[in-house]
Amino acid sequence: MKKFFIFSTIIFILSCSKENGRSFKGVVSTADNCCSSIEGGRLYKVNILGTDSTITTVLPAAINLGDTIAFNMHATDTPPAVLCLAICPMPEMVRLSDVSKVQ
């Protein structure tokens, strides 16, 4: 019984660790002209391919509307620092890593 419990625990840990850093593809759909990142880049909405989900994130300046990108999403990352004009609502953001254009 003890071996079964240890085996089950190892499988659970491995399966959960894969969920923390998953790779996705998405299409950059909308830019927010009111906000920009302190680190550089702008605020965009990205439609995740194969789903109805849209995320808001800061992308590098080399990314344009309509680009298809590949990226990793990490549940524990803190969102990037963003400056917005007072008239713009602050969106809920997700930090992406390993962002690259896909042809």
Side-chain angles (χ1 to χ4, degrees), residues 10-93:
I10 291 171
I11 291 174
F12 178 75
I13 290 170
L14 290 175
S15 65
C16 287
S17 65
K18 290 179 184 175
E19 293 298 316
N20 289 338
R22 295 176 54 193
S23 295
F24 297 92
K25 288 183 183 176
V27 176
V28 180
S29 61
T30 311
D32 188 333
N33 295 321
C34 296
C35 301
S36 62
S37 169
I38 295 171
E39 297 93 355
R42 293 186 47 208
L43 201 62
Y44 290 96
K45 287 192 184 291
V46 178
N47 295 335
I48 299 174
L49 294 178
T51 71
D52 292 333
S53 298
T54 301
I55 57 171
T56 302
T57 189
V58 171
L59 294 174
I63 303 294
N64 298 307
L65 291 177
D67 285 347
T68 301
I69 58 172
F71 55 89
N72 291 327
M73 239 183 330
H74 300 281
T76 58
D77 285 350
T78 55
V82 172
L83 297 173
C84 290
L85 297 175
I87 59 171
C88 295
M90 191 64 185
E92 187 174 330
M93 287 184 296

